[in-house]
Amino acid sequence: MLENNQTTAMRESLSALMDDEASEMELLRVLKAVEQQPELRQRWASYQMIAASMRGEVPVAPYVDLSSSISAALEDEPVHALVVAEKTWLHRVGRMAIAASVAGAVIVTGQLSGFGLGDVGSDGASVLAASGAPAVSGAVPSGALPAGFRAPDLAARTVSSHKSMPAAEGRTLVKRAPSAPVNRRPSPEVQAYLQQVMQLHADNASVNTGRGVLSYARVPAVKVQPPESSK
Amino acid sequence: MVHALYKSFLFSSPRSPFKWRRPLLATAVYLFACMPVGAAENLDRVGALLGGMSQALREQSYQGLFTYEHGGALETLKLLHQVSDGIEVSSLEHLNGPAQRYSPSARKTDCLSPSDRRLRGLLPDVSGTLADLATHYHFYIREDQRVAGREATVLQIVPRDEYRFGHTFTIDKATSLPLGAMIFTPNKTVLERLQFVDLSLLTDAEPLAVAPSAFLCQSEPAPQELWRVGWMPSGFMSAGVNRSESVGDMMMFTDGLSSFSVFIRRSVAGVAAQGQAQRGATVAFMQQYRFGQTVYTVSVVGEVPVRTAQRIANSIQPVGQG
């Protein structure tokens, strides 16, 4: 019963937030609750989707959950390395800006979804070896995804080697050093490369999943064809 | 204003055994949940359905309009597939969003992919039945449905492990073509749905202006591979390798119903990203690895759960090492 009341109160806070009527306390409470309750997070996403569709703004990828990014940005603390992957992109944005934009932040297009991006060079300067131990992720989500992509649910494990997959000899997981400068600009190269591999994979899927040319429906339609050559 | 709409989503109540994520797909899941559980896994009938579908898709001439629904987005597409003298050509056009058209290269209809062979029961190791698929999936034949004005058989394919997705095919009784296809996670969250609005067979297909010599049947997987995939879910087999300047080495795999592709190339500035992305059922996982003195970008793209993609990426080894 108590739980039900709490849930109802939380839903009220959520809808107040949707209507731009939430206090700062309510905002923090919602963000905290959303972190712990996937059900509430999904509800929030649904509300956002409805509101967006009523404004005629339904993007290609309506469900991009950035709520924990927002929480992380608000916490204003160093983020633990194991969960850093999905949480840092808003870090430098001011509190006010976050609070103001929070109601609209759950829905963004693929342009903002969390795909790690970094100039990992082959010089080793920004490369950490992680053989043996479970690797931590220093991926910095920013950059761009092909239209229609979204970052997977944040509950998923972040980029790291699987615990049950011991790092094999001779193979080293390359990670960005936390101190390395961060490239936050969207990268057309990553976008173009993903688009390219998607398209090539669709060739594979079209002959190898028993659904023929229907598989090409999965390749996002983009205005600009990816460049043929890589730098 | 928004409050009033909340109610319309109450039907996706938390009492449901399934996860509710995308309201637009809720109806599909609802149907799915209400279906009676198939009593017996009639493998012969399932084999006939899958084999018939695989064959019809490639050997019939048809055109149609279908919707592709993923993550709350809905797209409409136009499909044209023509067969003449044993050669198939097809095109797929996006009807909304940026104008885009795919025209995969023409193929001979008797050029069978590993998936075709598995679905048609032609692989030597399965001796005409779906034994191998059945070790990885449960098959259920659900209540008939009517889609695009046609009567259809509903075949639901549920994975037996967590490494692959499930499928639902709505197969036209008259033509054996799939009128609908749905992919869901092992937890039965629907990821994408594809459904025809209109489908018609082309009776008088015009002769195709394609020289038969212009294409080759893709040969068996090349024996000489530079990379070894140390782990992949059981049931997946190689479906060929490829190499190109722009994306590097490509290895393709299928278990008959799902496929994934592995891309490996030297890291270049600007594309040395790491992370994961998802669109409908397609997952892309990208990571950088150092082999010897060189850093490589490994990308796994496929209709598999992201943890599967990640595990596959982590298991890549250059041949000759390990």
Side-chain angles (χ1 to χ4, degrees):
Chain A
M1 197 59 208
L2 180 65
E3 208 165 89
N4 277 345
N5 285 340
Q6 278 177 350
T7 311
T8 312
M10 200 50 70
R11 284 178 192 167
E12 277 164 12
S13 295
L14 196 54
S15 60
L17 184 60
M18 290 293 304
D19 294 345
D20 281 338
E21 288 164 7
S23 66
E24 197 170 322
M25 274 310 293
E26 269 183 311
L27 168 62
L28 289 172
R29 205 167 65 215
V30 168
L31 283 171
K32 196 176 171 203
V34 154
E35 205 167 73
Q36 291 157 356
Q37 301 172 29
E39 189 266 335
L40 195 64
R41 187 159 65 225
Q42 282 158 29
R43 183 172 292 267
W44 193 6
S46 310
Y47 291 176
Q48 291 289 351
M49 204 183 302
I50 302 161
S53 63
M54 290 177 82
R55 293 191 301 264
E57 292 171 356
V58 173
V60 187
Y63 187 77
V64 176
D65 187 343
L66 297 174
S67 53
S68 57
S69 313
I70 298 158
S71 298
L74 287 174
E75 273 166 21
D76 213 13
E77 293 173 355
V79 182
H80 192 272
L82 272 174
V83 292
V84 75
E86 305 288 352
K87 291 200 171 185
T88 48
W89 72 276
L90 272 178
H91 225 77
R92 291 181 187 165
V93 185
R95 277 164 180 259
M96 289 306 288
I98 295 164
S101 64
V102 79
V106 174
I107 299 181
V108 294
T109 64
Q111 297 302 314
L112 272 180
S113 35
F115 204 87
L117 172 70
D119 295 321
V120 179
S122 52
D123 55 0
S126 59
V127 167
L128 298 177
S131 52
V136 296
S137 169
V140 179
S142 105
L145 296 171
F149 267 90
R150 66 181 187 86
D153 296 340
L154 300 179
R157 271 166 198 247
T158 53
V159 181
S160 67
S161 67
H162 198 279
K163 269 185 189 164
S164 62
M165 285 297 299
E169 223 174 297
R171 181 174 58 79
T172 306
L173 203 55
V174 174
K175 295 296 179 186
R176 161 172 291 283
S179 58
V182 170
N183 180 2
R184 283 168 191 277
R185 278 171 299 136
S187 160
E189 287 90 353
V190 171
Q191 191 163 356
Y193 185 71
L194 270 176
Q195 178 77 19
Q196 251 178 323
V197 296
M198 273 291 295
Q199 213 155 322
L200 284 167
H201 170 71
D203 290 336
N204 175 14
S206 73
V207 297
N208 275 311
T209 59
R211 45 184 83 199
V213 72
L214 295 176
S215 301
Y216 286 94
R218 299 202 185 103
V219 183
V222 288
K223 276 177 190 143
V224 188
Q225 285 295 323
E228 273 307 302
S229 63
S230 58
K231 279 188 275 180
Chain B
M1 180 176 78
V2 176
H3 287 280
L5 269 165
Y6 294 171
K7 290 196 182 69
S8 66
F9 282 88
L10 289 180
F11 70 89
S12 55
S13 93
R15 266 170 295 159
S16 155
F18 299 130
K19 287 184 184 173
W20 297 92
R21 214 155 274 187
R22 294 162 189 93
L24 287 178
L25 290 178
T27 319
V29 187
Y30 182 70
L31 284 171
F32 175 82
C34 290
M35 295 288 179
V37 174
E41 297 189 10
N42 187 336
L43 278 190
D44 287 341
R45 192 170 169 211
V46 169
L49 281 169
L50 285 175
M53 181 176 77
S54 159
Q55 206 160 348
L57 267 169
R58 298 204 44 201
E59 294 177 5
Q60 307 232 33
S61 293
Y62 48 89
Q63 63 180 3
L65 300 169
F66 68 92
T67 57
Y68 174 59
E69 197 180 348
H70 61 97
L74 184 65
E75 293 168 20
T76 48
L77 298 103
K78 187 177 181 177
L79 169 68
L80 176 67
H81 184 265
Q82 281 180 282
V83 180
S84 172
D85 288 336
I87 292 158
E88 56 165 345
V89 291
S90 46
S91 74
L92 191 68
E93 190 183 349
H94 284 262
L95 298 182
N96 60 336
Q100 189 136 322
R101 190 191 183 97
Y102 292 101
S103 302
S105 39
R107 282 202 302 161
K108 286 186 172 176
T109 52
D110 58 6
C111 168
L112 298 183
S113 71
S115 165
D116 290 329
R117 270 178 253 144
R118 174 155 287 171
L119 294 180
R120 298 181 197 186
L122 298 176
L123 282 183
D125 58 339
V126 296
S127 61
T129 70
L130 286 177
D132 200 61
L133 271 182
T135 57
H136 299 105
Y137 296 95
H138 292 287
F139 295 99
Y140 302 99
I141 294 171
R142 303 297 193 187
E143 256 173 50
D144 288 355
Q145 277 184 14
R146 190 165 162 270
V147 176
R150 292 164 166 274
E151 286 299 320
T153 309
V154 179
L155 173 64
Q156 193 183 341
I157 304 169
V158 180
R160 288 179 189 260
D161 57 42
E162 301 239 308
Y163 300 124
R164 64 199 93 219
F165 289 144
H167 304 260
T168 300
F169 290 106
T170 312
I171 302 168
D172 186 18
K173 290 188 174 177
T175 64
S176 290
L177 289 167
L179 297 171
M182 192 158 84
I183 292 187
F184 51 90
T185 66
N187 296 330
K188 298 191 173 62
T189 301
V190 177
L191 294 174
E192 65 171 32
R193 187 164 67 136
L194 188 150
Q195 185 168 293
F196 273 91
V197 178
D198 182 59
L199 179 72
S200 54
L201 287 185
L202 299 172
T203 43
D204 264 332
E206 286 175 28
L208 304 167
V210 189
S213 58
F215 33 80
L216 297 164
C217 188
Q218 194 168 23
S219 56
E220 288 295 308
Q224 207 172 13
E225 290 180 4
L226 291 172
W227 304 95
R228 190 170 61 83
V229 181
W231 180 87
M232 70 179 90
S234 66
F236 278 88
M237 55 189 165
S238 174
V241 294
N242 211 338
R243 178 172 293 176
S244 80
E245 279 282 303
S246 51
V247 298
D249 292 335
M250 176 187 184
M251 294 182 284
M252 295 168 274
F253 300 90
T254 177
D255 71 348
L257 292 165
S258 296
S259 66
F260 68 86
S261 307
V262 181
F263 299 87
I264 303 163
R265 71 160 179 184
R266 279 167 184 261
S267 287
V268 292
V271 194
Q274 44 204 354
Q276 57 200 44
Q278 189 164 358
R279 182 181 202 265
T282 306
V283 159
F285 179 87
M286 193 189 274
Q287 182 62 282
Q288 316 296 317
Y289 298 95
R290 175 188 285 275
F291 300 113
Q293 291 304 303
T294 315
V295 176
Y296 290 88
T297 302
V298 174
S299 313
V300 176
V301 184
E303 294 76 50
V304 290
V306 69
R307 286 185 64 181
T308 302
Q310 181 179 345
R311 230 177 129 173
I312 293 163
N314 283 339
S315 78
I316 302 290
Q317 284 284 326
V319 167
Q321 278 195 40

